[in-house]
């Protein structure tokens, strides 16, 4: 029964084929066809007919711009990444490693929303109702009125959305949901994609906010296709390492708010608690400065965060390793080449490891200068001075480029007791800063020269 309705859709161009092919007949990409379901009666071309309605064309100036109506979840840090709260008909995808706290956060949020008078539904495919209840007790939510459905079959979940008419529904997780319209296994790309598409459609047509929980593969991508990210309105990722107490939730896509906004939480005995003043949590506590450590100020989203970058340079074998945790490895290779070429610091026969403390991921190039200084500090076995920070992007020509909102970064560091900084020239304050000695540089050589001068 399943087979005759099957259709294969290209992940790249959306082209279709009635049977599986290695190469897409429309765009000639390889291995992009995945199984999907044709709408039973309307045929391939009208798959989205139900969504179409009568098309109305309007002039942009005549369309009233209405701001979306947001409902705060009651958790300020979550609202920050959501852009103010949940939105009717909005679909949120929230990804993260197992055990990082996705189910915990969402259960807490649902409970607050329920208490604020919203109708909530928690669909659990991974745990039984009893396990969810156990967690809710742990969170101190004994009297929670959140409705729970332990179900993994798409059609039944859609049915429950129809009959319960929740304002917010959490599907934990999208990888466990399956539809028997498809012959491929639950958790396969085809199933995940198709089920997410159906849930998205249901959210839009019924005005429900649907939150899909997604697992992350070892490589850090949401398991299943990246197409999920295109389908939904908001994509949030959990960061942080499960051994530390702190968790970051980052918005990497948001149709209703800013991207790269970060929410910071601490995992406690009683669930996740927002950290409203997080700037100093990613510093490891050394009594005295140690070689290979350099603090930077990162500014992704609206709040500056001080993050310690650690480097270890150690003699390697014939093919030395370059490993990075929390920073881009290709960028590390590039920075090592720049260090060698423009500053005469050679790490050719050395293993180089770098790490951003606390499991935070830094995507912005403003980390470059701190990475370089940490590497040179480890190589020389000389610590950078106490209370020192650095930031700035480094180019292939050895130039140090400004980071956005440099003054703000410097001010935050000064506020936390840092007293010395090496920054790109364009980021240096016009007037001397109180309590902070700022060294402005234009090139990597200059930065390294200053540091060598300190011993
Ligand atoms: P969980 O929300 O189940 O993670 P996910 O859904 O992302 O897989 O989080 C589970 C972890 O959090 C687990 O290791 C136990 C811990 N935890 C606490 O420390 N305190 C708590 O109050 C709760 C509910 C969980
Ligand atoms: Mg879970």
């Amino acid at each position: 029964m399943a087979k005759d309705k099957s259709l294969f859709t290209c992940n790249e161009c959306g082209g279709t084929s009635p049977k599986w092919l290695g190469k897409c007949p429309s765009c000639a990409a390889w291995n992009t066809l995945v199984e999907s379901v044709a709408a039973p009666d309307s045929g391939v071309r009208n798959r989205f007919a139900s969504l179409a309605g009568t098309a109305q064309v309007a002039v942009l100036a005549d369309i009233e711009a209405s701001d979306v109506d947001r409902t705060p979840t009651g958790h300020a840090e979550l609202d920050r990444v959501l852009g103010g709260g949940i939105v009717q008909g909005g679909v949120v995808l929230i990804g993260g490693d197992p055990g990082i706290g996705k189910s915990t956060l969402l259960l807490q949020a649902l409970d607050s929303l329920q208490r604020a008078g919203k109708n909530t539904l928690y669909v659990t495919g991974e745990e039984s109702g009893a396990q969810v209840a156990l967690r809710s007790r742990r969170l101190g939510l004994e009297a929670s009125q959140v409705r729970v459905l332990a179900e993994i079959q798409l059609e039944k979940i859609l049915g429950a959305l129809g009959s319960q008419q929740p304002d917010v529904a959490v599907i934990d997780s999208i990888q466990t949901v399956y539809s028997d319209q498809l012959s491929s296994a639950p958790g396969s790309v085809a199933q995940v994609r198709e089920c997410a598409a159906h849930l998205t459609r249901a959210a839009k047509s019924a005005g429900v906010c649907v939150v899909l929980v997604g697992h992350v593969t070892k490589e850090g991508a949401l398991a299943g296709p990246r197409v999920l990210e295109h389908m939904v309105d908001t994509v949030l990722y959990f960061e942080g390492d499960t051994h530390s107490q702190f968790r970051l939730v980052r918005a990497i896509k948001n149709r209703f708010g800013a991207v790269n906004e970060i929410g910071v939480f601490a995992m406690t005995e009683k669930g996740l608690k927002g950290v409203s003043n997080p700037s100093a949590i990613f510093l490891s506590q050394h009594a005295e400065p140690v070689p290979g450590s350099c603090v930077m100020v990162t500014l992704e989203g609206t709040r500056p965060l001080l993050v310690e970058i650690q480097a270890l340079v150690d003699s390697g074998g014939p093919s030395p390793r370059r490993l990075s945790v929390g920073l881009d490895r290709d960028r590390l290779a590039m920075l090592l080449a720049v260090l060698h070429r423009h500053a005469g610091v050679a790490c050719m026969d050395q293993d180089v490891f770098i790490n951003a403390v606390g499991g935070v991921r830094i995507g912005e190039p403003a980390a470059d200068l701190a990475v370089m200084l940490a590497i040179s500090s480890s190589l020389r076995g000389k610590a950078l001075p106490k209370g020192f920070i650095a930031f700035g992007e480094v180019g292939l020509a050895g130039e140090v480029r400004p980071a956005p909102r440099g003054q703000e970064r410097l001010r935050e560091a000064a506020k936390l007791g840092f007293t010395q900084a090496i920054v790109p020239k364009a980021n240096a304050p016009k007037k001397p800063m109180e309590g902070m000695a700022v060294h402005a540089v234009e090139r990597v050589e200059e930065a390294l020269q200053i540091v060598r001068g300190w011993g």
Side-chain angles (χ1 to χ4, degrees):
M1 117 202 141
K3 289 267 187 270
D4 54 6
K5 276 197 228 137
S6 288
L7 178 77
F8 293 83
T9 310
C10 174
N11 263 341
E12 294 288 328
C13 69
T16 54
S17 154
K19 60 177 194 238
W20 191 85
L21 297 166
K23 188 176 175 182
C24 170
S26 317
C27 70
W30 287 95
N31 262 336
T32 54
L33 288 184
V34 291
E35 191 189 15
S36 54
V37 187
D41 45 3
S42 46
V44 180
R45 293 201 173 277
N46 288 330
R47 233 178 115 204
F48 297 107
S50 63
L51 282 183
T54 24
Q56 283 279 346
V57 179
V59 175
L60 191 51
D62 298 342
I63 305 174
E64 211 172 307
S66 59
D67 200 12
V68 283
D69 196 10
R70 300 161 207 273
T71 312
T73 62
H75 296 262
E77 292 294 303
L78 181 60
D79 290 337
R80 172 190 290 278
V81 282
L82 285 170
I86 55 160
V87 174
Q88 239 196 3
V91 181
V92 180
L93 177 66
I94 179 156
D97 293 331
I100 198 144
K102 301 182 291 298
S103 307
T104 305
L105 179 62
L106 292 172
L107 196 59
Q108 288 179 285
L110 280 191
D111 184 71
S112 310
L113 284 164
Q114 180 75 40
R115 272 189 279 152
K118 293 283 162 188
N119 242 330
T120 60
L121 179 66
Y122 182 80
V123 180
T124 167
E126 306 204 325
E127 295 163 312
S128 63
Q131 284 169 307
V132 177
L134 203 63
R135 176 180 291 119
S136 77
R137 304 290 184 276
R138 188 168 172 189
L139 296 171
L141 310 176
E142 289 82 3
S144 179
Q145 298 299 304
V146 172
R147 280 165 301 165
V148 177
L149 169 71
E151 183 55 68
I152 55 173
Q153 203 194 331
L154 176 70
E155 289 72 18
K156 291 201 182 136
I157 296 173
L158 291 172
L161 288 182
S163 64
Q164 301 284 318
Q165 305 216 311
D167 299 304
V168 199
V170 169
I171 315 291
D172 191 357
S173 68
I174 185 66
Q175 273 102 356
T176 55
V177 179
Y178 81 101
S179 160
D180 40 12
Q181 303 271 309
L182 293 171
S183 52
S184 43
S188 66
V189 173
Q191 288 277 5
V192 171
R193 174 194 157 112
E194 203 67 13
C195 293
H198 273 96
L199 289 163
T200 304
R201 253 172 275 169
K204 302 282 171 215
S205 63
V208 191
C209 169
V210 170
V211 182
L212 306 174
V213 176
H215 290 296
V216 166
T217 58
K218 284 216 183 64
E219 296 76 48
L222 274 173
R226 290 199 61 113
V227 298
L228 282 194
E229 293 184 358
H230 302 301
M231 250 181 244
V232 301
D233 301 304
T234 305
V235 180
L236 306 182
Y237 272 101
F238 261 96
E239 287 174 21
D241 87 54
T242 34
H243 308 294
S244 96
Q245 181 194 5
F246 295 109
R247 307 280 189 274
L248 291 189
V249 177
R250 190 189 296 266
I252 63 160
K253 163 181 173 177
N254 198 351
R255 287 189 184 139
F256 306 120
V259 287
N260 265 331
E261 194 60 83
I262 294 174
V264 185
F265 296 89
M267 181 60 95
T268 67
E269 298 282 276
K270 283 185 169 278
L272 288 162
K273 295 248 161 24
V275 179
S276 51
N277 190 6
S279 51
I281 62 177
F282 295 106
L283 303 176
S284 68
Q285 312 292 330
H286 308 293
E288 284 305 314
V290 292
S293 153
C294 181
V295 178
M296 75 160 297
V297 192
T298 174
L299 222 171
E300 290 179 277
T302 48
R303 283 182 303 188
L305 279 181
L306 279 93
V307 179
E308 178 181 335
I309 308 289
Q310 299 183 326
L312 179 65
V313 181
D314 196 20
S315 56
S319 52
R321 283 175 295 172
R322 274 94 182 76
L323 288 178
S324 69
V325 179
L327 292 142
D328 183 25
R329 195 155 62 130
D330 293 338
R331 203 140 185 114
L332 169 62
M334 188 195 103
L335 292 176
L336 287 171
V338 175
L339 259 181
H340 180 224
R341 182 63 185 264
H342 297 286
V345 177
C347 299
M348 265 95 73
D349 51 355
Q350 308 277 329
D351 286 339
V352 180
F353 306 97
I354 53 168
N355 174 35
V357 168
V360 56
R361 268 180 222 138
I362 301 180
E364 62 163 4
D368 293 352
L369 198 56
V371 170
M372 283 192 161
L373 292 176
I375 291 171
S376 96
S377 157
S378 174
L379 190 66
R380 297 185 316 127
K382 292 264 189 326
L384 291 158
K386 205 176 171 122
F388 172 80
I389 60 135
F391 60 82
E393 177 179 348
V394 171
L396 284 177
E399 80 279 19
V400 177
R401 296 201 206 113
R405 292 153 65 203
Q407 308 282 321
E408 215 174 306
R409 296 180 202 239
L410 279 170
R411 274 200 301 274
E412 185 68 22
K415 208 168 85 191
L416 288 164
F418 287 79
T419 52
Q420 239 184 122
I422 298 187
V423 302
K425 189 151 196 196
N427 287 139
K430 304 276 169 297
K431 283 183 272 174
M433 246 178 116
E434 202 184 321
M436 172 75 85
V438 180
H439 308 269
V441 296
E442 280 181 306
R443 306 201 41 86
V444 245
E445 306 86 289
E446 290 171 49
L448 286 161
Q449 217 159 35
I450 295 172
V451 172
R452 285 196 197 107
W454 290 331

